[in-house]
Amino acid sequence: HPQLWRLLFDGDGEAVRKARARHPALERMFAALGPPPQHLWGEATPAFEVPEVLPFDDSASLSADQLGTFAEAGLVIIPGAVPAHLVGGALRRINSAIGSGKLVGDAGSALGLAPEVGSAPEIMDLFYASPVVTYAQRLIGRGRVEPVRKSQVALRFPSASASAPPTPAGSAWHIDGFGKGQHSPFALLCGVCLSETPGPMCGNLAVYPGQHVRLQQAILEAVTSGSAAAFSLSSEEHSDGDAAGGSKAHAKPDLGQPRQLCLHPGDVVLVHQKIPHMGMPNASPHVRYMVYFRLRHIDHNALKEGWLRDVMLPFEGCRRT
């Protein structure tokens, strides 16, 4: 009974409610279960009120060099973008959730938290109460970012072995969305670092700079021919959006070794959705904490097909430089 409730409610709550409304048999099953045990969930998480108009701070700017780096490399790192008190609040919420048994995911090192944790106020404040909300608009355009309603809390736990883990193959990367049959589900991946990744093999997010441009034609041809799944990994849906390994890795070109991002708490990395990436093994003794926000242009549906031919189409800030 408790395990079944956890399985049901750690998923998409809205989807469960809709399924109950459509299927009388499912509703009868829930009725037979009775209310979920309150001790499973601990203290209720207050709802975060998503603003209808995104905040914008005129003093939080990106330089021409930073905009150019994003256009050329497909990513830009902004050191110390999130204040320490917001980092601390997010860590407190996450660690409290871990203590309440809300870990979900595979049995490996890449785990996340139940979805309701990702929409907790302390987590959403990393975006809305920091300059990050403005930096995103500097790339996509002021007032052009669709309000985001949830995040992904991504944890990479240390390997149990003290020996050095194997280096992932150069074809173990993926591009977000392709595993779900979507070539352009969002425009910008915004990663907020909450823990030190001082060197390689610390569970780092690893990226292939510039490949959003170099792979453009291959992606276009794959989407057109219906073979775009080659750019995904079977493990993508169960990791932090930067998984390593997977049964489909052999179907993609070997891009060599990626750039492992060494980040500090409060650092933010803004990544073009078409950048191939993976998550490295964690040989450190510490858990790696990241929070990801996936951001869309307000005209996303109108732009997503044209974006296959113009990789900078949703990024109005870069197009003006």
Side-chain angles (χ1 to χ4, degrees):
H1 173 204
Q3 287 81 3
L4 181 55
W5 271 116
R6 183 178 297 283
L7 175 65
L8 292 169
F9 276 80
D10 277 353
D12 186 335
E14 182 62 25
V16 170
R17 286 189 288 273
K18 289 180 179 178
R20 291 177 67 173
R22 287 195 303 267
H23 303 290
L26 186 60
E27 177 59 37
R28 288 194 295 271
M29 183 192 75
F30 273 86
L33 280 173
Q38 293 301 312
H39 72 275
L40 284 180
W41 317 116
E43 195 175 327
T45 300
F48 179 80
E49 294 188 10
V50 177
E52 293 183 8
V53 179
L54 267 60
F56 190 89
D57 181 357
D58 287 313
S59 68
S61 62
L62 294 178
S63 68
D65 285 346
Q66 287 174 311
L67 293 171
T69 294
F70 181 83
E72 181 179 346
L75 69 144
V76 63
I77 296 172
I78 307 172
V82 177
H85 73 278
L86 294 180
V87 171
L91 284 171
R92 185 178 301 108
R93 169 59 70 178
I94 293 168
N95 288 330
S96 174
I98 293 173
S100 300
K102 292 189 178 181
L103 281 174
V104 296
D106 291 336
S109 63
L111 292 170
L113 289 167
E116 68 268 18
V117 180
S119 58
E122 297 91 339
I123 306 301
M124 299 301 290
D125 278 348
L126 295 170
F127 180 72
Y128 283 109
S130 80
V132 179
V133 66
T134 300
Y135 294 138
Q137 292 176 86
R138 294 291 187 187
L139 291 176
I140 296 176
R142 182 170 184 172
R144 309 298 284 168
V145 177
E146 184 178 287
V148 62
R149 301 183 180 279
K150 62 182 180 180
S151 71
Q152 183 179 14
V153 178
L155 311 175
R156 295 192 74 86
F157 283 80
S159 169
S161 172
S163 58
T167 301
S171 57
W173 52 269
H174 72 272
I175 296 175
D176 278 355
F178 283 84
K180 296 181 179 179
Q182 302 177 56
H183 58 74
S184 305
F186 60 91
L188 186 68
L189 180 68
C190 172
V192 180
C193 179
L194 303 181
S195 61
E196 294 283 352
T197 50
M201 293 297 191
C202 292
N204 313 59
L205 172 63
V207 297
Y208 289 92
Q211 290 292 345
H212 63 311
V213 175
R214 290 188 280 275
L215 288 175
Q216 179 186 4
Q217 187 61 33
I219 290 172
L220 175 60
E221 292 173 0
V223 171
T224 303
S225 66
S227 59
F231 294 97
S232 71
L233 289 181
S234 61
S235 58
E236 178 182 349
E237 310 309 330
H238 306 290
S239 73
D240 60 351
D242 51 9
S247 62
K248 298 179 184 175
H250 66 279
K252 303 188 297 297
D254 188 328
L255 299 179
Q257 287 304 299
R259 174 187 170 191
Q260 299 190 41
L261 302 184
C262 296
L263 304 173
H264 306 284
D267 289 356
V268 167
V269 57
L270 302 175
V271 186
H272 191 292
Q273 181 263 337
K274 296 292 191 300
I275 283 289
H277 57 278
M278 67 174 76
M280 301 306 288
N282 189 356
S284 80
H286 305 290
V287 179
R288 188 224 60 183
Y289 294 75
M290 289 282 291
V291 173
Y292 292 103
F293 298 90
R294 289 171 171 83
L295 309 177
R296 301 185 1 155
H297 191 286
I298 58 171
D299 296 326
H300 173 80
N301 290 332
L303 296 175
K304 64 181 180 181
E305 297 303 325
W307 191 15
L308 289 170
R309 293 171 173 81
D310 180 353
V311 294
M312 298 308 293
L313 185 60
F315 300 101
E316 297 178 11
C318 293
R319 297 173 72 85
R320 290 194 295 267
T321 61

